[in-house]
Amino acid sequence: MKSQRLQRMAVTSASSLLAVFVALCICAVVLLITGKDPIEAYRTLFGAAGDTKVLQGSLNRATPLMISAAAVAIGFKMNLFNIGVEGQMRVALLATAVAGAAVDLPAPLHILFCFVVAMATGAIWAGFAGWLKVKRGVNEVISTIMLNFVALSLVAWAFDSFFRAESTTGSVLVKTKELPTSAWFPDIVDRRLSGMFFIAVLVLILFYVLVWKTKFGFQLRASGANPGASRATGVNPKRMVMISMLLSGALAGLVGMRALLGDVHAYQNNLAEQQGFNGIAVALLGRNHPLGIFISALLFGYLGEASGRLQLIDIPKEITTIMTGIIVLAVVIINEAVKRWDDRRIQHKAAVALETAVVAA
Amino acid sequence: MTEYSHLGKQLAVELHGITKRFPGVIANHDVELLVRAGTIHAIVGENGAGKSTLMKTLYGMHQPDEGTITVNGNPAQFKTPTDAIAAGIGMVHQHFMLADNLTITENIILGDEPVDSRGRINFKEARARIESLMTSLGATFNPDTNVSELGVGQRQRVEILKVLYRGAKILILDEPTAVLVPQEVDELFTTLKRLVAEGATVIFISHKLDEVLTYCDEITVIRQGTTVARTTPSQVDRRSLAELMVGSDLPDPSGRETKVGDDVRLQVTGLNLAGDIAGAKLALEDINVAVHSGEIVGIAGVEGNGQFELCESILGLRTILSGSISVCGHELSHTETRDRINMGLSYIPFDRHREGLLLDAPLWENTFLGREENSSLTNGPFISRSKIEADCRSIINRFGVLTPSEQVPAFALSGGNQQKLVVGREMVSDPKILLAAHPTRGVDVGAQAAIWDELRHARDKGLGVLLISADLEELIGLSDRILVMFDGRVTAQLDPATATPEMLGTYMTGEVQGDAR
């Protein structure tokens, strides 16, 4: 019966691959319309795969995407659409930068302290949306979008008013006080690939175990699959909403840690920008499954890293942004179509199997 | 059997050799149906025999794989219901499709609005047509009333008007009496007779034999997907018709030699529940119910008179205003649903799709649902997939769920097998008290008998059951006592040994209240 699961996985993967392929075709048309040669563009784009530096950079870019996609996916698993990962991440970034610079701890503890602060602040910010939904029935899509605006403005104001530090290096960028080196997350490849990559993979593994292997995860998935049925069997829907929002927010808090602890070591205004939003696309393409998220994050990371090369042949690198957008759209449409087809196939197979079973009996 | 061609009357509908293959559910094969114009023609058969599938074919909701359709002597091929409507066929669905916040007129013209030259809806013309249709139907309501203010019988009348408004001469009614009490059934047939007298043809789907024998002109019996007999009420009696439907000996819900225990398993006292809208009347008012061990207490009532709210209150899904609920002597009215389930409360829900199953999930996940605290299925905080799968296989075997394996998703099963799975899940953990809402709704005869056996067997071992059912024979056959609910209150207690469906009907409309002596 393992084969049945494998079949489903194969169908799922095939439909995602199809979506990527369709997106490539559409982008080729866009390129043709703008008078560029799509074949040359794709050769340049994917030809970069042979370059170790590009690959290292891709993994580095994929790191925050994996975490933010996991944050989105844990909500998705129970039909909660947390669009607020970006805002949660931003609040957590400033809080961690300030708190991390204020304490003095030995290296591993210092990093751990930063993680805890980041996860706690992210969870609190997401908790607002969860609390509004549970207590007042506010749709989380609306509240998280609104809280994004609040977070961005609040953080910008707080940073500007209280936490700017005098530049010591003569850089024009304004930053907070730099974190002590004990809070710096070590690189695997110096200045190219942060060790946070392993943390992201660990997050995905824990995400898998939690959602697919535990009682809590089962209840989470059941609440998403059929709220009425899980309620009637004793799962408290409000508690599930609150817990999954808090978990999602905690992960959102970790999204910016590669940039903060592994790269800049201080808060600045554009730090880790968009990485919360991009997680939504990665989670969609990855079908909210850790393995899918891992592969999708690598793809998006690669496209981001390799896009610079397009400029060398006079093609705007924004074409990769268009491509990711179209991939997401195609995924949504194709997945739905494939699911319908696959449902019919399974239903038919069950009927056929039954008929033979009846005859055999 | 009658050969209709000799009778001179024209055939309104002719179906020959209709075959429809359908994964997972009973399909139609070699269906022969002849319906004379100007008659009420009953199509009878068990739940799941293929009646609705056949009517959907005739109404163009799907296409037959084989066979021909002839309407008023002309061969027809319906790709969509629109084609069928154009050919003069109309369908009144079992579940009403009305917009509550629109008026009767607006509901009737919805999707087929008469417009004037400037593109505005011509309500005057619409009203005139509707009023003339209402006269011919004998309906007396004001077409400007909001549909939300109408009762079930009136809503059905509006559905019929909707179909007539679109010019239907052949009406298909899919189990129209399922939602009606006996008195409303009478009114419905008075209406239908009027229509037939004016030249319409009615195809009437039912599995209730009494009304078929009383009101219909001709009968076609469907069994296991195919037509097995054509007859008329004068040629058959209730029993022979039932045997035609079932094809063999009739299953019997009765068999009541029970030992009701002394200990109270479920005690509901003075239960009050607020209505959904603030300020509205109570949804449940002063409910007192006790279920003993080894006892099945039946709840009769037209749907929507508080049965659902009662179940949800007992389960802790609704916050009650006042009163107490206890299971085996433990007061539970302020505990969470999960605690109540752990105390031995079990629930076969009203609607298996909405409250019972995870349709996209494999069967083993479905049988695990609600049993996460069962330590034989888990390892600490982790689920034990192999144990759950083995447990699921044993449920499948014990309850005779027809499925290739425990890995298929629940949607791949037919309705009856889905129901057996839900019943199995709820009974396998040896509950103290079972709330069974329509435990055999929409399942075939064999499954029905199996579920009844399981209920009786568990009852004999001491299970207390609160049985809510629309199937009055099931209620009378299984229950040790029957309570009637009307308008959020328990209005009567009846002895099933002396109760008849007709008698229950009068109580269910609220015409008669108080215990029968």
Side-chain angles (χ1 to χ4, degrees), chain B residues 19 85 164:
Chain B
T19 296
I85 291 168
L164 293 175

Side-chain angles (χ1 to χ4, degrees), chain B residues 50-292:
Chain B
K51 299 173 301 228
S52 294
T53 307
L54 181 62
M55 287 306 109
K56 284 179 181 168
T57 306
L58 178 55
Y59 190 52
M61 289 167 84
H62 53 227
Q63 283 73 52
D65 296 319
E66 290 164 30
T68 59
I69 302 174
T70 310
V71 176
N72 295 323
N74 307 313
Q77 269 191 327
F78 302 139
K79 290 207 167 54
T80 63
T82 315
D83 296 344
I85 291 168
I89 297 176
M91 181 144 167
V92 176
H93 297 271
Q94 195 175 351
H95 303 284
F96 301 151
M97 301 179 176
L98 297 172
D100 267 359
N101 50 351
L102 298 184
T103 66
I104 292 175
T105 307
E106 287 165 342
N107 263 290
I108 291 173
I109 64 174
L110 191 65
D112 195 16
E113 302 87 352
V115 288
D116 62 17
S117 52
R118 290 164 65 187
R120 294 176 306 188
I121 297 178
N122 188 342
F123 278 104
K124 223 167 141 188
E125 188 194 319
R127 260 193 83 116
R129 269 181 68 192
I130 289 169
E131 273 170 358
S132 84
L133 284 174
M134 281 171 59
T135 321
S136 66
L137 205 63
T140 50
F141 34 63
N142 177 357
D144 292 329
T145 320
N146 256 0
V147 162
S148 58
E149 293 164 31
L150 300 182
V152 175
Q154 290 170 309
R155 282 169 190 243
Q156 192 167 53
R157 220 65 37 86
V158 175
E159 285 280 7
I160 294 173
L161 278 170
K162 227 166 95 180
V163 168
L164 293 175
Y165 182 84
R166 283 156 179 74
K169 292 277 176 251
I170 300 166
L171 275 77
I172 306 169
L173 286 89
D174 189 0
E175 304 215 10
T177 57
V179 290
L180 304 180
V181 295
Q183 286 72 10
E184 287 175 317
V185 172
D186 253 346
E187 289 169 29
L188 171 67
F189 278 101
T190 314
T191 308
L192 295 182
K193 295 258 183 212
R194 268 170 176 267
L195 285 175
V196 168
E198 294 188 7
T201 305
V202 174
I203 299 176
F204 176 82
I205 303 172
S206 181
H207 61 269
K208 296 184 182 170
L209 304 179
D210 289 325
E211 59 197 37
V212 167
L213 289 170
T214 315
Y215 302 107
C216 297
D217 301 312
E218 279 160 9
I219 303 168
T220 296
V221 183
I222 294 192
R223 184 171 73 225
Q224 291 176 350
T226 190
T227 40
V228 292
R230 279 196 315 252
T231 182
T232 63
S234 58
Q235 292 174 331
V236 287
D237 61 7
R238 198 172 186 288
R239 183 146 194 101
S240 57
L241 187 56
E243 273 165 3
L244 279 174
M245 271 167 60
V246 179
S248 61
D249 298 339
L250 293 172
D252 185 2
S254 64
R256 189 168 40 240
E257 282 167 31
T258 70
K259 296 175 254 11
V260 175
D262 296 328
D263 56 321
V264 178
R265 285 285 172 91
L266 171 72
Q267 177 86 54
V268 176
T269 316
L271 175 65
N272 288 307
L273 176 74
D276 285 336
I277 308 155
K281 68 180 187 62
L282 295 175
L284 292 175
E285 195 181 335
D286 194 28
I287 303 278
N288 296 288
V289 178
V291 181
H292 299 79

Side-chain angles (χ1 to χ4, degrees), chain B residues 355-382:
Chain B
E355 292 186 297
L357 292 167
L358 311 172
L359 284 175
D360 276 332
L363 301 188
W364 64 270
E365 288 196 344
N366 275 285
T367 52
F368 183 55
L369 187 64
R371 296 167 70 210
E372 298 94 352
E373 311 299 330
N374 187 333
S375 56
S376 67
L377 302 177
T378 52
N379 293 323
F382 298 101

Side-chain angles (χ1 to χ4, degrees), chain B residues 407-428:
Chain B
Q407 304 293 343
V408 297
F411 69 76
L413 298 194
S414 70
N417 283 305
Q418 290 175 348
Q419 183 72 14
K420 282 193 270 188
L421 194 79
V422 172
V423 171
R425 176 182 74 203
E426 297 304 324
M427 304 215 16
V428 78

Side-chain angles (χ1 to χ4, degrees), chain B residues 272-350:
Chain B
N272 288 307
L273 176 74
D276 285 336
I277 308 155
K281 68 180 187 62
L282 295 175
L284 292 175
E285 195 181 335
D286 194 28
I287 303 278
N288 296 288
V289 178
V291 181
H292 299 79
S293 64
E295 185 182 35
I296 299 182
V297 176
I299 301 263
V302 178
E303 272 192 78
N305 276 284
Q307 303 94 316
F308 183 60
E309 287 79 2
L310 177 61
C311 278
E312 290 217 322
S313 301
I314 295 173
L315 277 167
L317 299 175
R318 288 175 186 245
T319 313
I320 61 177
L321 274 183
S322 59
S324 82
I325 296 161
S326 63
V327 169
C328 297
H330 299 273
E331 172 64 35
L332 294 177
S333 44
H334 294 291
T335 55
E336 289 199 23
T337 305
R338 181 47 60 92
D339 300 325
R340 302 183 191 206
I341 290 170
N342 291 344
M343 282 303 303
L345 193 60
S346 220
Y347 176 48
I348 298 172
F350 283 76

